[in-house]
């Protein structure tokens, strides 16, 4: 199998995992506040950035958000989920690229908080009401928790996954 | 098949390998992380001050309920004042220390939200809804002088009035 085909296969697998996690997570009530979720599907997006590169990470994000909104029957969520997800991922990509000695957990926490606040801000803009900004402190706090969990998961997964032959084939062909 | 370090004909994807190596050889915590965490903490404190502490000083004198941006009714001075168009879609029940209002969001009266106005605590909360599986509106905390409860599937919002100078128009009856 060619290197690019392997990358495409792995990114498709990560997209499917992100989508399934997102759909399962949607079945549960929010954490403490409306809109607050663990965001465990972001594990696969961040993992894709680390394993395959930025463009694959962005592709997985777009697939997850678009199909997730369609399957959950809430297409309007696309309006505020996609821009906030893109902003958060850009921040994470820049932090990975330009900062040395910053742990993946700190990067994930920063991105997660940015995602939560941006999503709330875009939602306010779409709804034309700033009253919804009152949720932003709570969403930011939930972003800290979910970001730490996502970051720690990616950290441990990366340690394990680098030993897998399929991944070695991608890097050494 | 395992690759040996002696094999030199590898076309290494430098960017990804660097990224993978960087993360997989990193630690769970670096001293520089403290700057990132401090920045996040300051940002959260700023949000709490601006959106929680400062608005709570303002006194609301009721609640306004909107559907798709249009005022349906508002609850003030212990009365429910309904817009004409929605008169048939709202049921009001007086309970101990409060008023329970059921608003039907379709003409068949299959979908609804139940809003509890607590007179003693001067709060509003959605107690029941047929909106979605996750029922975000029911999990929203009770609002008093600030905040908002939003039910996205029904396009319903509940917000305090008076604190921000907002006074909705009323064209309907009073219950």
């Amino acid at each position: 199998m060619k290197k690019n085909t392997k990358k495409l296969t792995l990114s498709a697998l990560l997209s499917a995992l992100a989508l399934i996690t997102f759909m399962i997570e949607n079945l549960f009530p929010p954490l403490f506040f409306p809109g607050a979720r663990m965001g465990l599907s972001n594990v696969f997006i961040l993992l894709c950035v680390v394993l395959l590169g930025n463009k694959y990470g962005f592709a997985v994000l777009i697939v997850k958000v678009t199909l997730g909104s369609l399957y959950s029957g809430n297409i309007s969520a696309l309006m505020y989920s996609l821009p906030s997800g893109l902003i958060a991922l850009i921040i994470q990509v820049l932090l990975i690229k330009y900062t040395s000695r910053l742990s993946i957990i700190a990067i994930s926490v920063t991105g997660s908080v940015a995602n939560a606040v941006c999503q709330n801000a875009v939602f306010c803009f779409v709804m034309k009401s700033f009253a919804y900004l009152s949720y932003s402190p709570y969403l930011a706090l939930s972003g800290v928790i979910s970001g730490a969990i996502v970051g720690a998961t990616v950290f441990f997964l990366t340690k394990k996954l680098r030993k897998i032959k399929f991944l070695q084939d991608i890097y050494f062909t | 098949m395992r690759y040996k370090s002696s094999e030199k004909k590898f076309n290494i994807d430098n960017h990804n390998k660097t990224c993978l190596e960087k993360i997989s050889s990193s630690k769970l915590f670096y001293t520089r992380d403290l700057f990132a965490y401090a920045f996040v903490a300051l940002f959260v404190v700023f949000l709490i001050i601006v959106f929680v502490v400062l608005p709570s000083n303002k006194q609301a004198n009721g609640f306004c309920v909107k559907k798709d941006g249009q005022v349906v009714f508002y609850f003030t001075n212990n009365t429910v004042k309904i817009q004409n168009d929605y008169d048939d879609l709202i049921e009001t029940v007086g309970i101990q220390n409060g008023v329970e209002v059921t608003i039907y969001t379709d003409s068949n009266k299959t979908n609804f939200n139940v809003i509890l106005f607590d007179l003693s605590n001067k709060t509003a909360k959605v107690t029941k809804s047929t909106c979605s599986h996750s029922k975000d509106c029911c999990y929203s905390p009770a609002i008093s002088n600030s905040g908002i409860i939003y039910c996205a599937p029904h396009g319903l919002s509940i917000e305090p009035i008076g604190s921000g100078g907002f006074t909705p128009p009323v064209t309907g009856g009073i219950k």
Side-chain angles (χ1 to χ4, degrees):
Chain A
M1 204 187 285
K2 286 183 180 177
K3 186 173 125 179
N4 280 342
T5 316
K6 284 179 180 173
K7 277 189 167 187
L8 194 65
T9 310
L10 187 58
S11 64
L13 184 69
L14 290 170
S15 300
L17 286 169
L19 189 60
I20 291 166
T21 315
F22 177 78
M23 295 302 291
I24 292 171
E25 213 175 8
N26 251 357
L27 296 174
F28 293 95
L31 296 171
F32 317 119
F33 283 92
R37 311 246 176 233
M38 286 299 287
L40 291 176
S41 57
N42 295 326
V43 166
F44 303 104
I45 296 169
L46 194 54
L47 195 63
C48 192
V49 170
V50 173
L51 296 178
L52 301 174
N54 303 339
K55 65 178 181 182
Y56 287 95
F58 282 104
V60 171
L61 171 76
I62 291 166
V63 167
K64 185 209 90 172
V65 173
T66 311
L67 293 181
S69 303
L70 277 172
Y71 291 160
S72 61
N74 190 11
I75 195 71
S76 59
L78 192 66
M79 278 192 290
Y80 43 89
S81 293
L82 192 58
S84 59
L86 287 171
I87 290 168
L89 195 56
I90 288 167
I91 290 171
Q92 287 174 327
V93 165
L94 291 175
L95 285 174
I96 289 173
K97 193 171 182 180
Y98 294 110
T99 57
S100 55
R101 300 285 174 186
L102 199 60
S103 73
I104 191 71
I105 296 177
I107 291 167
S108 175
V109 165
T110 313
S112 188
V113 170
N115 183 35
V117 176
C118 286
Q119 195 162 352
N120 196 231
V122 176
F123 183 73
C124 290
F125 183 74
V126 171
M127 299 306 295
K128 294 171 186 168
S129 171
F130 289 104
Y132 300 100
L133 282 174
S134 59
Y135 284 131
S136 55
Y138 308 109
L139 291 173
L141 281 173
S142 75
V144 171
I145 298 166
S146 67
I149 292 168
V150 167
T153 311
V154 170
F155 176 81
F156 289 113
L157 278 175
T158 313
K159 296 258 184 205
K160 296 287 178 189
L161 286 174
R162 66 188 294 227
K163 294 168 188 168
I164 292 175
K165 186 184 170 296
F166 186 87
L167 272 177
Q168 289 178 340
D169 287 347
I170 289 174
Y171 298 114
F172 307 103
T173 51
Chain B
M1 175 185 166
R2 287 201 170 271
Y3 293 102
K4 295 174 184 174
S5 58
S6 58
E7 293 178 50
K8 291 183 178 178
K9 288 188 177 179
F10 296 149
N11 175 22
I12 299 170
D13 186 330
N14 284 324
H15 171 78
N16 290 340
K17 187 164 190 301
T18 309
C19 192
L20 178 65
E21 288 300 317
K22 191 176 168 181
I23 302 297
S24 59
S25 61
S26 66
K27 295 177 188 172
L28 264 175
F29 177 77
Y30 289 106
T31 317
R32 284 190 187 183
D33 287 359
L34 289 173
F35 291 106
Y37 295 137
F39 174 77
V40 169
L42 283 173
F43 184 62
V44 172
V45 169
F46 168 78
L47 290 175
I48 289 170
I49 290 170
V50 172
F51 297 113
V52 179
V53 177
L54 293 179
S56 65
N57 296 329
K58 296 171 184 172
Q59 195 69 36
N61 53 25
F63 298 96
C64 173
V65 177
K66 294 180 189 175
K67 179 161 177 13
D68 301 325
Q70 303 291 316
V71 175
V72 176
F73 72 88
Y74 68 93
F75 181 80
T76 182
N77 299 326
N78 301 345
T79 53
V80 178
K81 298 176 182 178
I82 307 167
Q83 292 285 63
N84 274 339
D85 299 345
Y86 297 95
D87 209 21
D88 296 337
L89 299 174
I90 291 168
E91 290 172 4
T92 309
V93 179
I95 57 166
Q96 191 180 9
N97 287 330
V99 177
E100 207 172 58
V101 180
T102 304
I103 172 167
Y104 294 97
T105 52
D106 57 356
S107 53
N108 298 328
K109 293 192 173 183
T110 48
N111 291 310
F112 63 86
N113 292 69
V114 179
I115 307 162
L116 173 68
F117 296 101
D118 190 328
L119 299 177
S120 54
N121 296 321
K122 294 181 179 175
T123 59
K125 185 169 180 15
V126 176
T127 53
K128 285 179 195 167
S129 177
T130 56
C131 53
S132 65
H133 189 85
S134 59
K135 293 191 184 357
D136 278 18
C137 57
C138 296
Y139 286 96
S140 297
I143 56 168
S144 54
N145 294 324
S146 63
I148 191 165
I149 298 173
Y150 183 63
C151 178
H154 289 167
L156 206 73
S157 67
I158 304 146
E159 50 192 285
I161 55 172
S163 57
F166 171 71
T167 312
V170 182
T171 58
I174 296 174
K175 288 189 179 180

